[in-house]
Amino acid sequence: MVNPTTNSQIREYYPFIGPFDPCPPIRVKTYVVPPNQFVTFQPMNLPQFSPAEALRLGTLWPAFYSNYTSKRRGEVMKEGGHEE
């Protein structure tokens, strides 16, 4: 079950598994809640990335940055914009 008091970006849920499902079940599924969902308004004077870094990461403000994990290959995009 999802705990609404946590601010973790990665959440999980447990889908219904029917007795006659033809495929092996995926018991736990995950999804990402973006960090902007936790900010009610954008405060003034937030720290900013450099323009080149902001283009690479997709946001100007570090408070709104979220790592991307590819489920297909298990790669994690880090702050430098490269894959691990």
PDB file of all heavy atoms in Angstrom, residues 28-63:
ATOM      1  N   VAL A  28       4.497  -6.866  -7.885  1.00  0.00           N
ATOM      2  CA  VAL A  28       4.665  -5.480  -7.443  1.00  0.00           C
ATOM      3  C   VAL A  28       5.030  -4.638  -8.665  1.00  0.00           C
ATOM      4  O   VAL A  28       5.948  -4.976  -9.391  1.00  0.00           O
ATOM      5  CB  VAL A  28       5.780  -5.353  -6.385  1.00  0.00           C
ATOM      6  CG1 VAL A  28       5.963  -3.912  -5.955  1.00  0.00           C
ATOM      7  CG2 VAL A  28       5.478  -6.233  -5.192  1.00  0.00           C
ATOM      8  N   LYS A  29       4.276  -3.556  -8.888  1.00  0.00           N
ATOM      9  CA  LYS A  29       4.575  -2.630  -9.972  1.00  0.00           C
ATOM     10  C   LYS A  29       4.972  -1.297  -9.366  1.00  0.00           C
ATOM     11  O   LYS A  29       4.522  -0.943  -8.287  1.00  0.00           O
ATOM     12  CB  LYS A  29       3.373  -2.459 -10.891  1.00  0.00           C
ATOM     13  CG  LYS A  29       3.057  -3.727 -11.664  1.00  0.00           C
ATOM     14  CD  LYS A  29       2.014  -3.475 -12.705  1.00  0.00           C
ATOM     15  CE  LYS A  29       1.780  -4.714 -13.528  1.00  0.00           C
ATOM     16  NZ  LYS A  29       0.896  -4.442 -14.672  1.00  0.00           N
ATOM     17  N   THR A  30       5.830  -0.563 -10.064  1.00  0.00           N
ATOM     18  CA  THR A  30       6.297   0.724  -9.552  1.00  0.00           C
ATOM     19  C   THR A  30       5.979   1.833 -10.542  1.00  0.00           C
ATOM     20  O   THR A  30       5.796   1.588 -11.732  1.00  0.00           O
ATOM     21  CB  THR A  30       7.813   0.705  -9.303  1.00  0.00           C
ATOM     22  OG1 THR A  30       8.472   0.412 -10.529  1.00  0.00           O
ATOM     23  CG2 THR A  30       8.194  -0.312  -8.242  1.00  0.00           C
ATOM     24  N   TYR A  31       5.895   3.038 -10.017  1.00  0.00           N
ATOM     25  CA  TYR A  31       5.730   4.231 -10.831  1.00  0.00           C
ATOM     26  C   TYR A  31       6.417   5.388 -10.128  1.00  0.00           C
ATOM     27  O   TYR A  31       6.723   5.322  -8.947  1.00  0.00           O
ATOM     28  CB  TYR A  31       4.246   4.542 -11.094  1.00  0.00           C
ATOM     29  CG  TYR A  31       3.436   4.828  -9.857  1.00  0.00           C
ATOM     30  CD1 TYR A  31       3.175   6.132  -9.462  1.00  0.00           C
ATOM     31  CD2 TYR A  31       2.914   3.806  -9.079  1.00  0.00           C
ATOM     32  CE1 TYR A  31       2.425   6.411  -8.328  1.00  0.00           C
ATOM     33  CE2 TYR A  31       2.166   4.068  -7.952  1.00  0.00           C
ATOM     34  CZ  TYR A  31       1.921   5.374  -7.591  1.00  0.00           C
ATOM     35  OH  TYR A  31       1.184   5.644  -6.468  1.00  0.00           O
ATOM     36  N   VAL A  32       6.685   6.448 -10.879  1.00  0.00           N
ATOM     37  CA  VAL A  32       7.412   7.592 -10.354  1.00  0.00           C
ATOM     38  C   VAL A  32       6.468   8.783 -10.234  1.00  0.00           C
ATOM     39  O   VAL A  32       5.732   9.098 -11.164  1.00  0.00           O
ATOM     40  CB  VAL A  32       8.600   7.960 -11.270  1.00  0.00           C
ATOM     41  CG1 VAL A  32       9.295   9.215 -10.777  1.00  0.00           C
ATOM     42  CG2 VAL A  32       9.575   6.808 -11.344  1.00  0.00           C
ATOM     43  N   VAL A  33       6.495   9.421  -9.073  1.00  0.00           N
ATOM     44  CA  VAL A  33       5.744  10.660  -8.865  1.00  0.00           C
ATOM     45  C   VAL A  33       6.750  11.795  -9.007  1.00  0.00           C
ATOM     46  O   VAL A  33       7.735  11.855  -8.274  1.00  0.00           O
ATOM     47  CB  VAL A  33       5.104  10.689  -7.461  1.00  0.00           C
ATOM     48  CG1 VAL A  33       4.345  11.980  -7.249  1.00  0.00           C
ATOM     49  CG2 VAL A  33       4.186   9.501  -7.273  1.00  0.00           C
ATOM     50  N   PRO A  34       6.552  12.710  -9.969  1.00  0.00           N
ATOM     51  CA  PRO A  34       7.524  13.776 -10.174  1.00  0.00           C
ATOM     52  C   PRO A  34       7.635  14.699  -8.966  1.00  0.00           C
ATOM     53  O   PRO A  34       6.662  14.905  -8.238  1.00  0.00           O
ATOM     54  CB  PRO A  34       6.988  14.545 -11.387  1.00  0.00           C
ATOM     55  CG  PRO A  34       5.756  13.865 -11.820  1.00  0.00           C
ATOM     56  CD  PRO A  34       5.438  12.772 -10.878  1.00  0.00           C
ATOM     57  N   PRO A  35       8.826  15.268  -8.727  1.00  0.00           N
ATOM     58  CA  PRO A  35       9.027  16.119  -7.549  1.00  0.00           C
ATOM     59  C   PRO A  35       8.157  17.364  -7.538  1.00  0.00           C
ATOM     60  O   PRO A  35       7.846  17.888  -6.477  1.00  0.00           O
ATOM     61  CB  PRO A  35      10.501  16.494  -7.597  1.00  0.00           C
ATOM     62  CG  PRO A  35      11.049  15.974  -8.856  1.00  0.00           C
ATOM     63  CD  PRO A  35      10.048  15.093  -9.493  1.00  0.00           C
ATOM     64  N   ASN A  36       7.715  17.845  -8.708  1.00  0.00           N
ATOM     65  CA  ASN A  36       6.881  19.044  -8.709  1.00  0.00           C
ATOM     66  C   ASN A  36       5.508  18.793  -8.089  1.00  0.00           C
ATOM     67  O   ASN A  36       4.785  19.740  -7.787  1.00  0.00           O
ATOM     68  CB  ASN A  36       6.737  19.610 -10.119  1.00  0.00           C
ATOM     69  CG  ASN A  36       6.015  18.679 -11.051  1.00  0.00           C
ATOM     70  OD1 ASN A  36       5.797  17.507 -10.740  1.00  0.00           O
ATOM     71  ND2 ASN A  36       5.653  19.175 -12.209  1.00  0.00           N
ATOM     72  N   GLN A  37       5.134  17.558  -7.852  1.00  0.00           N
ATOM     73  CA  GLN A  37       3.856  17.258  -7.215  1.00  0.00           C
ATOM     74  C   GLN A  37       3.880  17.550  -5.713  1.00  0.00           C
ATOM     75  O   GLN A  37       2.837  17.585  -5.076  1.00  0.00           O
ATOM     76  CB  GLN A  37       3.491  15.787  -7.440  1.00  0.00           C
ATOM     77  CG  GLN A  37       3.327  15.427  -8.893  1.00  0.00           C
ATOM     78  CD  GLN A  37       2.199  16.198  -9.542  1.00  0.00           C
ATOM     79  OE1 GLN A  37       1.082  16.221  -9.032  1.00  0.00           O
ATOM     80  NE2 GLN A  37       2.486  16.855 -10.638  1.00  0.00           N
ATOM     81  N   PHE A  38       5.069  17.743  -5.145  1.00  0.00           N
ATOM     82  CA  PHE A  38       5.198  17.985  -3.711  1.00  0.00           C
ATOM     83  C   PHE A  38       5.356  19.461  -3.373  1.00  0.00           C
ATOM     84  O   PHE A  38       5.405  19.833  -2.216  1.00  0.00           O
ATOM     85  CB  PHE A  38       6.406  17.226  -3.146  1.00  0.00           C
ATOM     86  CG  PHE A  38       6.361  15.751  -3.429  1.00  0.00           C
ATOM     87  CD1 PHE A  38       7.295  15.165  -4.263  1.00  0.00           C
ATOM     88  CD2 PHE A  38       5.373  14.955  -2.881  1.00  0.00           C
ATOM     89  CE1 PHE A  38       7.257  13.810  -4.520  1.00  0.00           C
ATOM     90  CE2 PHE A  38       5.319  13.600  -3.143  1.00  0.00           C
ATOM     91  CZ  PHE A  38       6.260  13.032  -3.965  1.00  0.00           C
ATOM     92  N   VAL A  39       5.456  20.319  -4.400  1.00  0.00           N
ATOM     93  CA  VAL A  39       5.671  21.752  -4.181  1.00  0.00           C
ATOM     94  C   VAL A  39       4.370  22.477  -4.521  1.00  0.00           C
ATOM     95  O   VAL A  39       3.895  22.405  -5.649  1.00  0.00           O
ATOM     96  CB  VAL A  39       6.822  22.276  -5.065  1.00  0.00           C
ATOM     97  CG1 VAL A  39       7.031  23.764  -4.847  1.00  0.00           C
ATOM     98  CG2 VAL A  39       8.102  21.511  -4.774  1.00  0.00           C
ATOM     99  N   THR A  40       3.794  23.174  -3.548  1.00  0.00           N
ATOM    100  CA  THR A  40       2.517  23.850  -3.797  1.00  0.00           C
ATOM    101  C   THR A  40       2.708  25.135  -4.587  1.00  0.00           C
ATOM    102  O   THR A  40       1.826  25.527  -5.335  1.00  0.00           O
ATOM    103  CB  THR A  40       1.809  24.160  -2.475  1.00  0.00           C
ATOM    104  OG1 THR A  40       2.688  24.922  -1.650  1.00  0.00           O
ATOM    105  CG2 THR A  40       1.428  22.875  -1.756  1.00  0.00           C
ATOM    106  N   PHE A  41       3.818  25.822  -4.408  1.00  0.00           N
ATOM    107  CA  PHE A  41       4.150  26.996  -5.208  1.00  0.00           C
ATOM    108  C   PHE A  41       5.659  27.044  -5.342  1.00  0.00           C
ATOM    109  O   PHE A  41       6.387  26.474  -4.540  1.00  0.00           O
ATOM    110  CB  PHE A  41       3.622  28.286  -4.572  1.00  0.00           C
ATOM    111  CG  PHE A  41       4.249  28.593  -3.240  1.00  0.00           C
ATOM    112  CD1 PHE A  41       5.344  29.435  -3.158  1.00  0.00           C
ATOM    113  CD2 PHE A  41       3.756  28.035  -2.071  1.00  0.00           C
ATOM    114  CE1 PHE A  41       5.944  29.710  -1.945  1.00  0.00           C
ATOM    115  CE2 PHE A  41       4.352  28.307  -0.851  1.00  0.00           C
ATOM    116  CZ  PHE A  41       5.439  29.145  -0.784  1.00  0.00           C
ATOM    117  N   GLN A  42       6.121  27.720  -6.366  1.00  0.00           N
ATOM    118  CA  GLN A  42       7.557  27.789  -6.603  1.00  0.00           C
ATOM    119  C   GLN A  42       8.140  28.969  -5.831  1.00  0.00           C
ATOM    120  O   GLN A  42       7.838  30.114  -6.133  1.00  0.00           O
ATOM    121  CB  GLN A  42       7.832  27.953  -8.088  1.00  0.00           C
ATOM    122  CG  GLN A  42       9.296  27.932  -8.410  1.00  0.00           C
ATOM    123  CD  GLN A  42       9.518  27.936  -9.904  1.00  0.00           C
ATOM    124  OE1 GLN A  42       8.731  27.406 -10.659  1.00  0.00           O
ATOM    125  NE2 GLN A  42      10.600  28.553 -10.320  1.00  0.00           N
ATOM    126  N   PRO A  43       8.962  28.687  -4.822  1.00  0.00           N
ATOM    127  CA  PRO A  43       9.552  29.769  -4.033  1.00  0.00           C
ATOM    128  C   PRO A  43      10.514  30.620  -4.868  1.00  0.00           C
ATOM    129  O   PRO A  43      11.073  30.160  -5.856  1.00  0.00           O
ATOM    130  CB  PRO A  43      10.309  29.050  -2.919  1.00  0.00           C
ATOM    131  CG  PRO A  43       9.965  27.622  -3.015  1.00  0.00           C
ATOM    132  CD  PRO A  43       9.355  27.379  -4.342  1.00  0.00           C
ATOM    133  N   MET A  44      10.699  31.839  -4.447  1.00  0.00           N
ATOM    134  CA  MET A  44      11.650  32.720  -5.129  1.00  0.00           C
ATOM    135  C   MET A  44      13.081  32.310  -4.807  1.00  0.00           C
ATOM    136  O   MET A  44      13.345  31.696  -3.778  1.00  0.00           O
ATOM    137  CB  MET A  44      11.433  34.168  -4.686  1.00  0.00           C
ATOM    138  CG  MET A  44      10.115  34.740  -5.147  1.00  0.00           C
ATOM    139  SD  MET A  44       9.817  36.399  -4.540  1.00  0.00           S
ATOM    140  CE  MET A  44      11.261  37.261  -5.071  1.00  0.00           C
ATOM    141  N   ASN A  45      13.995  32.643  -5.693  1.00  0.00           N
ATOM    142  CA  ASN A  45      15.442  32.463  -5.508  1.00  0.00           C
ATOM    143  C   ASN A  45      15.856  31.010  -5.302  1.00  0.00           C
ATOM    144  O   ASN A  45      16.752  30.726  -4.506  1.00  0.00           O
ATOM    145  CB  ASN A  45      15.955  33.336  -4.358  1.00  0.00           C
ATOM    146  CG  ASN A  45      15.687  34.799  -4.594  1.00  0.00           C
ATOM    147  OD1 ASN A  45      15.780  35.265  -5.725  1.00  0.00           O
ATOM    148  ND2 ASN A  45      15.322  35.518  -3.548  1.00  0.00           N
ATOM    149  N   LEU A  46      15.226  30.087  -6.018  1.00  0.00           N
ATOM    150  CA  LEU A  46      15.668  28.693  -5.952  1.00  0.00           C
ATOM    151  C   LEU A  46      17.031  28.569  -6.621  1.00  0.00           C
ATOM    152  O   LEU A  46      17.315  29.271  -7.598  1.00  0.00           O
ATOM    153  CB  LEU A  46      14.683  27.786  -6.686  1.00  0.00           C
ATOM    154  CG  LEU A  46      13.415  27.403  -5.954  1.00  0.00           C
ATOM    155  CD1 LEU A  46      12.515  26.570  -6.877  1.00  0.00           C
ATOM    156  CD2 LEU A  46      13.720  26.622  -4.706  1.00  0.00           C
ATOM    157  N   PRO A  47      17.889  27.672  -6.132  1.00  0.00           N
ATOM    158  CA  PRO A  47      19.156  27.444  -6.820  1.00  0.00           C
ATOM    159  C   PRO A  47      18.894  26.952  -8.244  1.00  0.00           C
ATOM    160  O   PRO A  47      17.890  26.294  -8.498  1.00  0.00           O
ATOM    161  CB  PRO A  47      19.847  26.363  -6.000  1.00  0.00           C
ATOM    162  CG  PRO A  47      19.055  26.190  -4.767  1.00  0.00           C
ATOM    163  CD  PRO A  47      17.746  26.853  -4.944  1.00  0.00           C
ATOM    164  N   GLN A  48      19.821  27.265  -9.161  1.00  0.00           N
ATOM    165  CA  GLN A  48      19.644  26.888 -10.556  1.00  0.00           C
ATOM    166  C   GLN A  48      20.870  26.158 -11.087  1.00  0.00           C
ATOM    167  O   GLN A  48      21.988  26.407 -10.658  1.00  0.00           O
ATOM    168  CB  GLN A  48      19.409  28.126 -11.418  1.00  0.00           C
ATOM    169  CG  GLN A  48      18.152  28.863 -11.092  1.00  0.00           C
ATOM    170  CD  GLN A  48      17.961  30.080 -11.985  1.00  0.00           C
ATOM    171  OE1 GLN A  48      18.824  30.412 -12.798  1.00  0.00           O
ATOM    172  NE2 GLN A  48      16.828  30.741 -11.838  1.00  0.00           N
ATOM    173  N   PHE A  49      20.613  25.228 -12.031  1.00  0.00           N
ATOM    174  CA  PHE A  49      21.702  24.604 -12.767  1.00  0.00           C
ATOM    175  C   PHE A  49      22.256  25.604 -13.765  1.00  0.00           C
ATOM    176  O   PHE A  49      21.593  26.588 -14.111  1.00  0.00           O
ATOM    177  CB  PHE A  49      21.201  23.386 -13.551  1.00  0.00           C
ATOM    178  CG  PHE A  49      20.837  22.196 -12.706  1.00  0.00           C
ATOM    179  CD1 PHE A  49      19.574  21.635 -12.792  1.00  0.00           C
ATOM    180  CD2 PHE A  49      21.759  21.616 -11.856  1.00  0.00           C
ATOM    181  CE1 PHE A  49      19.239  20.529 -12.044  1.00  0.00           C
ATOM    182  CE2 PHE A  49      21.427  20.497 -11.099  1.00  0.00           C
ATOM    183  CZ  PHE A  49      20.169  19.955 -11.189  1.00  0.00           C
ATOM    184  N   SER A  50      23.450  25.364 -14.256  1.00  0.00           N
ATOM    185  CA  SER A  50      23.974  26.169 -15.359  1.00  0.00           C
ATOM    186  C   SER A  50      23.114  25.882 -16.601  1.00  0.00           C
ATOM    187  O   SER A  50      22.458  24.847 -16.679  1.00  0.00           O
ATOM    188  CB  SER A  50      25.429  25.800 -15.633  1.00  0.00           C
ATOM    189  OG  SER A  50      25.489  24.492 -16.162  1.00  0.00           O
ATOM    190  N   PRO A  51      23.095  26.798 -17.583  1.00  0.00           N
ATOM    191  CA  PRO A  51      22.261  26.563 -18.765  1.00  0.00           C
ATOM    192  C   PRO A  51      22.566  25.244 -19.481  1.00  0.00           C
ATOM    193  O   PRO A  51      21.655  24.524 -19.872  1.00  0.00           O
ATOM    194  CB  PRO A  51      22.564  27.758 -19.656  1.00  0.00           C
ATOM    195  CG  PRO A  51      22.931  28.844 -18.700  1.00  0.00           C
ATOM    196  CD  PRO A  51      23.678  28.150 -17.598  1.00  0.00           C
ATOM    197  N   ALA A  52      23.835  24.895 -19.639  1.00  0.00           N
ATOM    198  CA  ALA A  52      24.188  23.643 -20.316  1.00  0.00           C
ATOM    199  C   ALA A  52      23.709  22.430 -19.508  1.00  0.00           C
ATOM    200  O   ALA A  52      23.186  21.459 -20.063  1.00  0.00           O
ATOM    201  CB  ALA A  52      25.694  23.570 -20.534  1.00  0.00           C
ATOM    202  N   GLU A  53      23.910  22.508 -18.203  1.00  0.00           N
ATOM    203  CA  GLU A  53      23.474  21.409 -17.338  1.00  0.00           C
ATOM    204  C   GLU A  53      21.948  21.297 -17.322  1.00  0.00           C
ATOM    205  O   GLU A  53      21.395  20.201 -17.327  1.00  0.00           O
ATOM    206  CB  GLU A  53      24.010  21.646 -15.922  1.00  0.00           C
ATOM    207  CG  GLU A  53      24.098  20.412 -15.083  1.00  0.00           C
ATOM    208  CD  GLU A  53      24.823  20.679 -13.773  1.00  0.00           C
ATOM    209  OE1 GLU A  53      25.058  21.844 -13.422  1.00  0.00           O
ATOM    210  OE2 GLU A  53      25.137  19.694 -13.101  1.00  0.00           O
ATOM    211  N   ALA A  54      21.256  22.427 -17.321  1.00  0.00           N
ATOM    212  CA  ALA A  54      19.789  22.424 -17.331  1.00  0.00           C
ATOM    213  C   ALA A  54      19.256  21.789 -18.616  1.00  0.00           C
ATOM    214  O   ALA A  54      18.289  21.025 -18.579  1.00  0.00           O
ATOM    215  CB  ALA A  54      19.263  23.842 -17.183  1.00  0.00           C
ATOM    216  N   LEU A  55      19.884  22.068 -19.751  1.00  0.00           N
ATOM    217  CA  LEU A  55      19.462  21.435 -20.998  1.00  0.00           C
ATOM    218  C   LEU A  55      19.685  19.930 -20.963  1.00  0.00           C
ATOM    219  O   LEU A  55      18.876  19.159 -21.462  1.00  0.00           O
ATOM    220  CB  LEU A  55      20.222  22.045 -22.177  1.00  0.00           C
ATOM    221  CG  LEU A  55      19.763  23.433 -22.596  1.00  0.00           C
ATOM    222  CD1 LEU A  55      20.719  24.005 -23.632  1.00  0.00           C
ATOM    223  CD2 LEU A  55      18.353  23.380 -23.138  1.00  0.00           C
ATOM    224  N   ARG A  56      20.783  19.509 -20.372  1.00  0.00           N
ATOM    225  CA  ARG A  56      21.105  18.087 -20.290  1.00  0.00           C
ATOM    226  C   ARG A  56      20.149  17.347 -19.350  1.00  0.00           C
ATOM    227  O   ARG A  56      19.746  16.225 -19.621  1.00  0.00           O
ATOM    228  CB  ARG A  56      22.558  17.931 -19.830  1.00  0.00           C
ATOM    229  CG  ARG A  56      23.121  16.565 -19.999  1.00  0.00           C
ATOM    230  CD  ARG A  56      24.616  16.482 -19.749  1.00  0.00           C
ATOM    231  NE  ARG A  56      25.108  17.243 -18.613  1.00  0.00           N
ATOM    232  CZ  ARG A  56      25.813  18.368 -18.696  1.00  0.00           C
ATOM    233  NH1 ARG A  56      26.100  18.880 -19.861  1.00  0.00           N
ATOM    234  NH2 ARG A  56      26.230  18.987 -17.616  1.00  0.00           N
ATOM    235  N   LEU A  57      19.746  18.001 -18.252  1.00  0.00           N
ATOM    236  CA  LEU A  57      18.911  17.350 -17.246  1.00  0.00           C
ATOM    237  C   LEU A  57      17.413  17.567 -17.441  1.00  0.00           C
ATOM    238  O   LEU A  57      16.599  16.867 -16.860  1.00  0.00           O
ATOM    239  CB  LEU A  57      19.313  17.832 -15.846  1.00  0.00           C
ATOM    240  CG  LEU A  57      20.738  17.512 -15.436  1.00  0.00           C
ATOM    241  CD1 LEU A  57      21.065  18.137 -14.092  1.00  0.00           C
ATOM    242  CD2 LEU A  57      20.959  16.013 -15.398  1.00  0.00           C
ATOM    243  N   GLY A  58      17.046  18.572 -18.237  1.00  0.00           N
ATOM    244  CA  GLY A  58      15.638  18.796 -18.519  1.00  0.00           C
ATOM    245  C   GLY A  58      14.921  19.713 -17.554  1.00  0.00           C
ATOM    246  O   GLY A  58      13.705  19.845 -17.621  1.00  0.00           O
ATOM    247  N   THR A  59      15.643  20.351 -16.644  1.00  0.00           N
ATOM    248  CA  THR A  59      15.041  21.308 -15.724  1.00  0.00           C
ATOM    249  C   THR A  59      16.093  22.318 -15.294  1.00  0.00           C
ATOM    250  O   THR A  59      17.276  22.007 -15.239  1.00  0.00           O
ATOM    251  CB  THR A  59      14.428  20.623 -14.488  1.00  0.00           C
ATOM    252  OG1 THR A  59      13.777  21.596 -13.676  1.00  0.00           O
ATOM    253  CG2 THR A  59      15.472  19.897 -13.659  1.00  0.00           C
ATOM    254  N   LEU A  60      15.642  23.509 -14.977  1.00  0.00           N
ATOM    255  CA  LEU A  60      16.553  24.558 -14.537  1.00  0.00           C
ATOM    256  C   LEU A  60      16.843  24.461 -13.037  1.00  0.00           C
ATOM    257  O   LEU A  60      17.898  24.848 -12.574  1.00  0.00           O
ATOM    258  CB  LEU A  60      15.956  25.929 -14.862  1.00  0.00           C
ATOM    259  CG  LEU A  60      16.790  27.164 -14.543  1.00  0.00           C
ATOM    260  CD1 LEU A  60      18.125  27.119 -15.273  1.00  0.00           C
ATOM    261  CD2 LEU A  60      16.027  28.415 -14.919  1.00  0.00           C
ATOM    262  N   TRP A  61      15.908  23.888 -12.280  1.00  0.00           N
ATOM    263  CA  TRP A  61      16.014  23.888 -10.819  1.00  0.00           C
ATOM    264  C   TRP A  61      16.312  22.487 -10.275  1.00  0.00           C
ATOM    265  O   TRP A  61      15.592  21.526 -10.573  1.00  0.00           O
ATOM    266  CB  TRP A  61      14.716  24.397 -10.211  1.00  0.00           C
ATOM    267  CG  TRP A  61      14.415  25.786 -10.644  1.00  0.00           C
ATOM    268  CD1 TRP A  61      14.947  26.934 -10.145  1.00  0.00           C
ATOM    269  CD2 TRP A  61      13.540  26.181 -11.691  1.00  0.00           C
ATOM    270  NE1 TRP A  61      14.446  28.017 -10.808  1.00  0.00           N
ATOM    271  CE2 TRP A  61      13.576  27.593 -11.759  1.00  0.00           C
ATOM    272  CE3 TRP A  61      12.718  25.488 -12.580  1.00  0.00           C
ATOM    273  CZ2 TRP A  61      12.831  28.306 -12.682  1.00  0.00           C
ATOM    274  CZ3 TRP A  61      11.980  26.207 -13.493  1.00  0.00           C
ATOM    275  CH2 TRP A  61      12.038  27.599 -13.537  1.00  0.00           C
ATOM    276  N   PRO A  62      17.332  22.336  -9.443  1.00  0.00           N
ATOM    277  CA  PRO A  62      17.648  21.032  -8.853  1.00  0.00           C
ATOM    278  C   PRO A  62      16.495  20.462  -8.017  1.00  0.00           C
ATOM    279  O   PRO A  62      16.335  19.246  -7.940  1.00  0.00           O
ATOM    280  CB  PRO A  62      18.862  21.315  -7.964  1.00  0.00           C
ATOM    281  CG  PRO A  62      19.494  22.522  -8.553  1.00  0.00           C
ATOM    282  CD  PRO A  62      18.365  23.336  -9.123  1.00  0.00           C
ATOM    283  N   ALA A  63      15.668  21.316  -7.435  1.00  0.00           N
ATOM    284  CA  ALA A  63      14.547  20.829  -6.616  1.00  0.00           C
ATOM    285  C   ALA A  63      13.535  20.051  -7.453  1.00  0.00           C
ATOM    286  O   ALA A  63      12.793  19.221  -6.921  1.00  0.00           O
ATOM    287  CB  ALA A  63      13.860  21.998  -5.922  1.00  0.00           C
TER     288      ALA A  63
END
